[in-house]
Amino acid sequence: MSYGLYIGKNLTATGHAYLAGYGDEPSSHWLEIIAETHHAAGSTITVGVTPEADLPGKLSEVPQAPVTARHVRVCYSHYKGVPAPLSNGGLNEHGVAVRDIWSTSRAELIALTPAGQTGPNYSDLAKLVLERARTAREGVELIAQLIARYGYSTYGGNSHIVADPQEAWVVIECAGGQKLWVAERLGENSIRASRPGYIGEIPGTPDKDFLFPDHFIEFAVSQGWHRDGDKFNVNMVYGDGRGPWEGARWIEAEMARRAETPAKITLEDVIWAIRTPKLTGDTAGYGQVVPLVHPAHPALRMLWHAPVGAVAAPFMPVFLGMTEIAEEYRQHRYLTSGEHARFMDMRHALGGQADEVSIVPQGVEASRSAVAICKRLLYLALRDAETSLPELARIFVAHEARLMALAENMQKVASMLLDASQADLAAGMLTYFANSELRAGLRLAEQLADGLEARTRAFGGFDTSLQPKSSPQVW
């Protein structure tokens, strides 16, 4: 389902906005930095879903852009019928950030979805915005253009938050094959939590704060779902009719309370909102916080990344100007779809069975897996959540406070190098610093896991019940 949180810049201590959240998929997750890429004329990309999807479709081709932007994103390996690798969040060189969040359409719309649906899926849209959009508004317009021209391959309805340092937009993409979408602008004083994504009342025609196609209201009237002239509530007419869910209402109210304090909302507050066990547990595949700023150089854009749900991992800085990601945070075989039937042995490939060879580089697999290590810590902590989770949170907060100061200093040093046209030196320093801290965060998680294992064994050992323990959540 995923979780997205936007905080407008007037509500924060530093005067800049944030986009944060996590992905809600059980398969493997990993970090990628994709370089700016030039593509040959006539190039295309494959989009859509396969006949194996819950709502079956056909893969199709759409034109590739001549140049795609440098961006950092989190990928994952499985959703039924959607070709891997998938992505639901990231940040590009222009300062556009994206979060993908489920948003179900009404049952009648889902039933209208054609069996041979074509067009970009939810992950395609997120990646295409990261590759092509220079502003949040451009990202919305790109989604609209793609749906209008090529259709939309849905699994029952979805949404995105697309943000830049000036504004953000919630975009709802409806099921049904009718090319229905709607977008709401979030501004300097906005707080919006999506899980699922929602939009309430909209005007009768598009304006500066709401965008939608010409037939958006007309189609609902034709189906008898809305009476012409009445106020149009998107969630009531096209969605689940529930409005914001309990968890979204709770965190929006908590963030609003913090915004009213003299300190306003800090980076620490945003991290807390993604870490709190009331919202985050095993279903959170990773955590991400993006400070929405325009630094002096695009290479200095950055996000804070936790390799699993942040109750069991520290947030660590990742810079767009890095040349590579530490091997521990790249794709590993742990939880990667299909790896249970593959080998790291070329004999099968030489015998004509290339699909039985692992898709993970052996050199990467030989490193530790950040996801596997932090999942171990999570499961140890959940055996005694009331004691362990607060302990972990205090340690991670202290670790992150040190990192925030170091990351700020590193950005200043790298900026001086870039000002002096020493781009290679700046990239080398950013890469060394961030990867060193990514590995230091992993060592911290290993040490904490070892300590919790010792405590678990001292107080009775491991319970092997098949019913897992978890922390109560309000979703």
Side-chain angles (χ1 to χ4, degrees):
M1 181 186 292
S2 300
Y3 164 35
L5 177 66
Y6 175 77
I7 308 292
K9 64 182 182 180
N10 286 354
L11 307 178
T12 71
T14 52
H16 67 256
Y18 289 96
L19 181 62
Y22 58 65
D24 227 6
E25 300 79 21
S27 66
S28 60
H29 288 78
W30 64 96
L31 272 169
E32 288 187 350
I33 292 179
I34 310 297
E36 176 185 285
T37 307
H38 293 254
H39 303 277
S43 297
T44 62
I45 57 173
T46 302
V47 299
V49 298
T50 70
E52 286 70 44
D54 286 337
L55 296 178
K58 297 185 295 183
L59 299 178
S60 59
E61 301 293 313
V62 302
Q64 178 61 281
V67 182
T68 50
R70 184 179 185 87
H71 62 280
V72 55
R73 67 192 187 198
V74 177
C75 291
Y76 60 102
S77 66
H78 177 76
Y79 191 77
K80 187 178 179 181
V82 183
L86 302 97
S87 181
N88 56 18
L91 171 69
N92 77 10
E93 64 181 287
H94 307 298
V96 178
V98 184
R99 291 239 51 84
D100 167 90
I101 304 107
W102 171 77
S103 179
T104 189
S105 298
R106 67 183 294 154
E108 295 92 334
L109 264 180
I110 296 173
L112 286 173
T113 304
Q117 63 174 332
T118 58
N121 62 54
Y122 68 96
S123 171
D124 295 327
L125 292 177
K127 288 191 285 190
L128 287 166
V129 168
L130 289 173
E131 290 176 348
R132 303 182 184 190
R134 292 177 174 268
T135 66
R137 175 67 180 255
E138 273 193 18
V140 176
E141 293 170 347
L142 174 63
I143 290 172
Q145 292 162 5
L146 289 166
I147 292 175
R149 184 170 182 181
Y150 302 106
Y152 172 57
S153 295
T154 184
Y155 63 95
N158 202 65
S159 75
H160 293 83
I161 302 178
V162 185
D164 64 27
Q166 302 305 317
E167 64 182 8
W169 291 79
V170 176
V171 189
I172 307 291
E173 302 101 13
C174 299
Q178 305 302 314
K179 300 183 177 180
L180 297 170
W181 61 271
V182 58
E184 177 186 1
R185 181 182 180 274
L186 307 176
E188 297 90 342
N189 298 302
S190 297
I191 297 174
R192 174 62 63 88
S194 286
R195 182 185 167 96
Y198 71 91
I199 292 176
E201 287 188 4
I202 63 172
T205 56
D207 62 19
K208 65 182 180 65
D209 293 321
F210 294 95
L211 301 172
F212 45 89
D214 293 340
H215 67 295
F216 188 75
I217 295 175
E218 176 186 311
F219 181 78
V221 173
S222 73
Q223 299 298 303
W225 303 338
H226 176 71
R227 188 168 60 187
D228 201 14
D230 288 353
K231 292 182 178 180
F232 195 98
N233 184 299
V234 175
N235 182 259
M236 295 298 296
V237 176
Y238 283 138
D240 64 6
R242 293 174 56 181
W245 284 16
E246 180 184 356
R249 293 197 304 271
W250 175 76
I251 196 61
E252 286 179 0
E254 177 60 27
M255 289 292 104
R257 184 189 68 77
R258 296 182 184 214
E260 292 172 357
T261 66
K264 295 189 175 183
I265 294 173
T266 64
L267 173 57
E268 292 89 340
D269 291 323
V270 181
I271 286 176
W272 171 86
I274 307 303
R275 171 169 289 140
T276 170
K278 289 188 73 170
L279 303 180
T280 302
D282 186 44
T283 63
Y286 63 96
Q288 189 176 98
V289 176
V290 181
L292 295 164
V293 296
H294 281 313
H297 303 275
L300 303 178
R301 298 193 188 280
M302 56 91 70
L303 56 80
W304 292 86
H305 173 74
V308 304
V311 292
F315 277 94
M316 293 157 285
V318 176
F319 295 95
L320 193 59
M322 296 168 62
T323 57
E324 62 179 5
I325 296 291
E327 291 84 358
E328 293 88 340
Y329 291 81
R330 300 185 206 173
Q331 185 180 17
H332 282 69
R333 303 185 80 187
Y334 176 72
L335 294 181
T336 289
S337 180
E339 283 298 303
H340 66 285
R342 301 185 183 119
F343 300 92
M344 286 200 162
D345 190 317
M346 289 303 295
R347 287 176 297 170
H348 290 266
L350 295 173
Q353 297 171 304
D355 59 345
E356 292 189 15
V357 178
S358 175
I359 62 173
V360 177
Q362 191 178 64
V364 172
E365 187 62 17
S367 72
R368 299 168 298 167
S369 164
V371 173
I373 287 169
C374 292
K375 281 290 188 181
R376 174 185 172 229
L377 175 59
L378 173 64
Y379 301 144
L380 282 161
L382 289 177
R383 305 310 301 172
D384 183 17
E386 290 186 3
T387 299
S388 299
L389 293 184
E391 286 180 351
L392 293 182
R394 286 193 295 272
I395 293 168
F396 293 152
V397 166
H399 184 80
E400 289 154 358
R402 179 187 68 86
L403 266 181
M404 289 174 193
L406 289 174
E408 184 176 353
N409 289 339
M410 179 54 59
Q411 285 178 304
K412 292 176 181 177
V413 172
S415 184
M416 293 178 195
L417 289 170
L418 290 164
D419 289 342
S421 300
Q422 298 293 322
D424 288 345
L425 281 176
M429 289 192 66
L430 290 172
T431 302
Y432 177 77
F433 169 75
N435 282 338
S436 295
E437 292 300 338
L438 285 168
R439 292 183 175 116
L442 195 53
R443 286 194 299 273
L444 175 62
E446 286 180 312
Q447 290 164 353
L448 291 170
D450 289 343
L452 284 181
E453 179 177 338
R455 190 171 74 184
T456 298
R457 294 188 184 281
F459 289 104
F462 290 94
D463 174 9
T464 56
S465 167
L466 289 178
Q467 182 172 344
K469 292 185 178 181
S470 59
S471 187
Q473 296 182 10
V474 296
W475 294 123

